Every structure is written in structure tokens, then in C-alpha cells.
Amino acid sequence: MELKKLEVTAFADLLASDVPAPGGGSTAALEGALGAALTAMVCGLTVGKAKYAASQELAASVREKCAALQVRFLDVMDRDTEAFNAVAAAFALPKGTEEEKAARSKAIQAALRGCIDTPMEMMELAAETLERTESLLGRFNDSAASDLGVAALSLRSAIQGAWLNVRINISSIKDQDLAERSRERGEALLAKALPAADRIYAAVLDMM
């Protein structure tokens, strides 16, 4: 099943069901896709407007980049659920003998790496999208200010939600070097992205 091809109601109903995936990780990716889409929309409302002639090149560039980021978010949304399913399959492996226990443990650790990789990718995408979004401040169609604010909020939710998924999975990983690298990378992305999201939101409020 490709989550990105589900209708909104079907996705929401699946999320509300008792199946463990999709869950918070895929939802974080969807938040990111929505944030990227909103930024692209704001650009679309700026391109071609004489009032914003000085912003045309920027708006067109950001629109193109955010459209591509939206696609990448939707791709990682599906891959995040696949990564979770791989962990669940590894936990279901037999453990009756020492050999089976060893093979099961190895499979679980390998699968957990995937559950770190996908939310970390979401964090990187969200940080990049927020950078693109912030670049529009003072240079976009101000009638879409609230939309840009919601984009920032969606992207903030995406990066923080993804971080929660990184954290919960590194708590189970035995490779401490990988765990530490993931912590450092995630904290660096948050330190860059969250202030950007706050600046966008504050700027939008000041416009109202």
C-alpha cells in the first residue's frame, strides 16, 4: 500500500485504527509535505504579480524547490512505514535456539537503523524547506501571510515529530557510535530549524 496515494479520509482512518503503522513518523513526513506544498502555493500566488516584480526570480526558484521537497517528503512517508514493518518482522523471527536468537538480534538491529535513517531524512528535508520558506520573508504576496505561517508550523511539527522518532529508535540501538552521531546531527538540525520556524511565525504575526 502506498500511503501517498490514499485519499485524505482513508489515510486518517488508517492512522486512527489499531495497526501500529503508519504512525507518528509517517505523520511527521506528511506534515513536512504539507508545509512544502503551502510554501510552493505562496510562491505561486507571488509569481506573475506586478506588485512583487522584484521577487519573481526568488519566488519561482523557491516554488520549484519546494515542489521537489514535497515529493521527497511523500516518498519518505512510505519508506518510514516500511522501516517500521521491517522491525516488526525482525521481532517476529524465531528465537528457540541460540543461533536463532543471534540471527533475530542482528536482524532487529539492522532494521532499527532504517527506523533512524528515515526520520533523520525527514529532519533534513524539513530544515531545508524552512530555509526556503524563510527566504520569502518580505518578498512574497502578503495576502498569503497566514498560509506561510501555517507552512512554518507544519514544518516545525515535521522536524520535531521526526526527532521523536529518531530518539525512540536510538534508545534501542546497540551501536553507540551511530546513536551519538544521530543525536548530534538531530540536535544540530533542530538548532537551525526551530528558530527559523519561530522567525517566520513571528514575522507573519507582525503582518496582521
Side-chain angles (χ1 to χ4, degrees):
M1 177 197 313
E2 289 189 81
L3 299 177
K4 63 188 176 185
K5 291 186 177 179
L6 293 177
E7 293 182 354
V8 173
T9 300
F11 180 85
D13 287 344
L14 181 59
L15 200 61
S17 73
D18 59 1
V19 298
S26 291
T27 301
L30 179 58
E31 287 277 13
L34 296 174
L38 275 170
T39 299
M41 183 194 83
V42 172
C43 291
L45 293 172
T46 303
V47 170
K49 301 293 192 296
K51 181 180 178 181
Y52 306 100
S55 304
Q56 296 302 293
E57 185 176 344
L58 172 67
S61 174
V62 172
R63 184 184 193 184
E64 181 180 357
K65 287 168 182 172
C66 283
L69 286 161
Q70 176 188 333
V71 171
R72 292 175 65 190
F73 269 120
L74 292 175
D75 176 64
V76 78
M77 177 175 72
D78 273 308
R79 287 190 285 110
D80 185 77
T81 293
E82 290 167 5
F84 175 85
N85 289 337
V87 172
F91 270 101
L93 291 171
K95 51 183 177 177
T97 67
E98 291 304 314
E99 291 78 7
E100 287 176 341
K101 288 179 183 177
R104 177 176 177 271
S105 177
K106 184 177 180 180
I108 290 170
Q109 291 299 308
L112 283 170
R113 288 172 180 267
C115 283
I116 294 171
D117 290 343
T118 51
M120 187 62 70
E121 184 178 346
M122 292 175 210
M123 293 186 73
E124 291 169 349
L125 292 172
E128 180 180 350
T129 311
L130 277 164
E131 184 178 354
R132 307 294 183 194
T133 303
E134 188 176 19
S135 73
L136 295 171
L137 291 181
R139 303 178 67 185
F140 71 98
N141 186 335
D142 54 16
S143 67
S146 60
D147 301 297
L148 200 73
V150 175
L153 292 174
S154 294
L155 291 162
R156 171 185 258 280
S157 178
I159 197 166
Q160 289 187 291
W163 178 231
L164 292 178
N165 281 271
V166 171
R167 288 290 301 270
I168 198 169
N169 287 300
I170 61 177
S171 67
S172 300
I173 203 82
K174 292 179 180 178
D175 185 340
Q176 290 305 302
D177 287 339
L178 173 61
E180 186 58 28
R181 289 197 306 273
S182 299
R183 270 191 211 96
E184 290 176 357
R185 178 59 179 154
E187 287 169 357
L189 287 166
L190 289 172
K192 176 183 178 183
L194 295 184
D198 291 342
R199 287 192 296 268
I200 298 164
Y201 186 72
V204 165
L205 280 178
D206 284 345
M207 295 173 69
M208 297 176 179

